[in-house]
Structures are given as structure tokens and as C-alpha cells.
Amino acid sequence: MNFALVMLGAACLDGVIGWPSRLYARIGHPVTWIGALIAGLERRWNHGSRRARLIGGAATTLVVLATALLPLWAIQSVLPSTWTGHVLAIILAWPLIAVRAMHDHVAAVAKPLMAGDLPAARHAVSMIVGRDPARLDDAGVARAAIESLAENTSDGIIAPLFWGVVAGLPGLAGYKAINTLDSMIGHRSDRYEAFGKAAARLDDLANWLPARLTGLLFALASGRRMRHAVTVMRRDAPRHRSPNAGWPEGAMAAGLGIRLSGPRLYGDTIANEPWLHGEAPDPKPRDIDRALALYRRTMAICALALAALALF
């Protein structure tokens, strides 16, 4: 089966129609199904000593990964390498690639912020970031939205497509399971530090190459700023708290001529994070629209690359 063609078809399908709200209301979404399984296992196994939590977390990671991966491996093994088989594979891959949702969530922040409605913009950005939006000013909201767009382009689109091309439907589903595990239990908190350790390390590994690929795609989509974006990405990404997020964020910052990351508030704790492209000014509300335009160009380049892989 031509996995590049399947991933291209799924990305295009999601870009055009997304995941319909009526369908979500009726059956939910594969990621919510995975999330429900993770939550149930976490309630059962996340207790006891640190060693018990480490083992419980590793077991949770294995169970969730197998539950997501094995059914699609079985399905893919019986799909014919015909147009019918490819169409069925595209439909199965479609909900696991968030091209439209990513754009729409960030656009929902840009609209009220451009209109001067800071409370509405704070509410919209709270849907996509973990920091406290109540204390964010215009620049803080814009920075949070653009950072989320950069990081989640890697996690939600490029990485799933990458693993889908490499390993087909099982690779795609396995990656989404890993990423969902990390988002739910891969936190450095008293509750999850031990239990989520296996999931967090696996997510770091699964995203290592896709994150750097995403940064290169952002740089390529930056046009005349491409060389500068690559330079800033290579210089600043290693300073980021995450081994992977700094690469797409650094390229996005330099591509737009703004600074990202920096100090931020989580609850009552100030995280003194280093700046990415710190010599540039803070983003303005209109920079979210510029970031979305860069995102669309990046998706177009990605589609062309998938088409080339599918053909050759």
C-alpha cells in the first residue's frame, strides 16, 4: 500500500471538512476514546510507592499503545492495495490528523484579540494552552497562541504524517496513542512524575525527528527569512525546556520576526524560560494571522512533499 498517498488523502480530507461536530456528538473521536482508556488505567494503577507508580505507568503505556496499534495493524494487513483499499485507509487515518482543528482553534483566538476583546481572547486561548490566561495581556495571548500553533503543528500533524508514511495505519495510531499519553500523564507533578515517566520519554523519542522536520518546513515556508529561521532555530532550540518543542517554535519565531517562549505563569509558579529569537519584539495580535498564513504555506509544502513521495 502507498502510505504516502494515504497520508496525503487523510490530510486533505481533514483540511477540507475537519471532524464534523455532529459526528463528534454521536461517537466522539478516536483521541477521546484513547483518553478514556488512559484515565481508567490511571485511576486503577497510579498509587503506591514510586516503584509501583513507575511500573503502573509503563504498563499503562504498553496497554494503550497495543490497544491503538494492533487493531489497525490487523485491518491494514487485509486491505487490498487497490483504490478501494486506499480509500478505506484514508477514512481510517482521517480523524488522527488535525489539520483543520489546529487552524480553527488558533483563528478563534485571533478574531477577538484583533477586535480588542481581551477576555474573549483569553477564554479562546485557554482551550489550547496550559498556562493561566487570566493574567495574560495582548502580547501574552498572542505569544501563547502562536507557540501552541508551532508546537502542535509538529505533534498534531507532521509527526502523525511522518509515522504514517513510515509504518502506515499502525504507525499513525501508535503515535497518536503516545502523544495522548504524554498530554494526559506526562507531567512533572507529584501525581504524574513517576507514573508518566515512560510515556513522556517515549513521546520525546517519537517526536525527535518530526519536531526538527517541522522546524525546517516552517523555515522553508518563511521565504526570504528561511536562512535566518534555520540559524535561530539551531541556536535557540537547545535552550528550550522541551527537547523537541523549541525547534518548531524557534523557526516560527524567526520566520515571523517575533520572540516566543520566555517567562510564563503556571498556577502560582513563574517559569523563567529563555526566549526564542529574544532580540525580536513581542508578537502583536495581527501576528497570529501571519502565523496562520505561515502554517498554511507549511501545509501546502507538506502536501507537495507527500505527493512527491506517493508518485516516486
Side-chain angles (χ1 to χ4, degrees), residues 99-269:
V99 175
R100 182 162 189 141
M102 188 69 260
H103 186 281
D104 290 350
H105 281 309
V106 176
V109 180
K111 185 175 180 181
L113 196 61
M114 292 280 287
D117 189 349
L118 183 57
R122 285 171 172 164
H123 174 73
V125 85
S126 72
M127 301 292 104
I128 56 174
V129 300
R131 72 196 71 169
D132 181 8
R135 305 185 198 181
L136 295 178
D137 57 9
D138 283 12
V141 171
R143 189 162 61 244
I146 295 170
E147 287 170 6
S148 180
L149 176 64
E151 183 176 359
N152 286 299
T153 298
S154 177
D155 293 355
I157 302 164
I158 302 302
L161 291 173
F162 174 85
W163 288 111
V165 170
V166 169
L169 295 176
L172 174 60
Y175 171 78
K176 291 301 291 186
I178 292 168
N179 189 242
T180 306
L181 280 159
D182 181 67
S183 68
M184 292 183 65
I185 65 173
H187 308 300
R188 294 177 181 174
S189 64
D190 291 341
R191 179 171 179 175
Y192 295 119
E193 192 277 328
F195 186 79
K197 190 176 241 358
R201 295 295 176 267
L202 192 57
D203 184 76
D204 288 344
L205 182 62
N207 280 299
W208 193 91
L209 187 54
R212 287 149 181 81
L213 177 60
T214 305
L216 289 174
L217 289 170
F218 278 146
L220 187 59
S222 299
R224 289 178 296 176
R225 290 179 175 266
M226 178 179 67
R227 183 172 295 181
H228 181 59
V230 171
T231 299
V232 169
M233 176 179 67
R234 293 180 62 190
R235 182 194 71 192
D236 292 351
R239 305 173 189 170
H240 199 278
R241 67 189 183 282
S242 163
N244 296 318
W247 296 84
E249 288 182 22
M252 174 76 81
L256 297 175
I258 59 173
R259 66 178 182 175
L260 295 175
S261 193
R264 73 272 315 283
L265 190 67
Y266 292 100
D268 294 324
T269 303

Side-chain angles (χ1 to χ4, degrees), residues 77-100:
S77 67
V78 299
L79 285 177
S81 295
T82 62
W83 281 108
T84 300
H86 281 83
V87 169
L88 290 173
I90 286 169
I91 292 171
L92 289 169
W94 159 39
L96 300 178
I97 302 168
V99 175
R100 182 162 189 141

Side-chain angles (χ1 to χ4, degrees), residues 26-97:
R26 184 178 292 271
I27 66 169
H29 186 276
V31 171
T32 66
W33 307 340
I34 296 171
L37 175 59
I38 295 168
L41 293 173
E42 191 270 338
R43 285 193 298 269
R44 175 171 294 192
W45 289 341
N46 188 13
H47 56 78
S49 65
R50 174 178 170 79
R51 177 180 170 80
R53 290 172 184 265
L54 283 168
I55 294 171
T60 295
T61 300
L62 288 174
V63 169
V64 171
L65 189 57
T67 302
L69 188 154
L70 292 177
L72 285 177
W73 173 80
I75 292 170
Q76 181 174 283
S77 67
V78 299
L79 285 177
S81 295
T82 62
W83 281 108
T84 300
H86 281 83
V87 169
L88 290 173
I90 286 169
I91 292 171
L92 289 169
W94 159 39
L96 300 178
I97 302 168

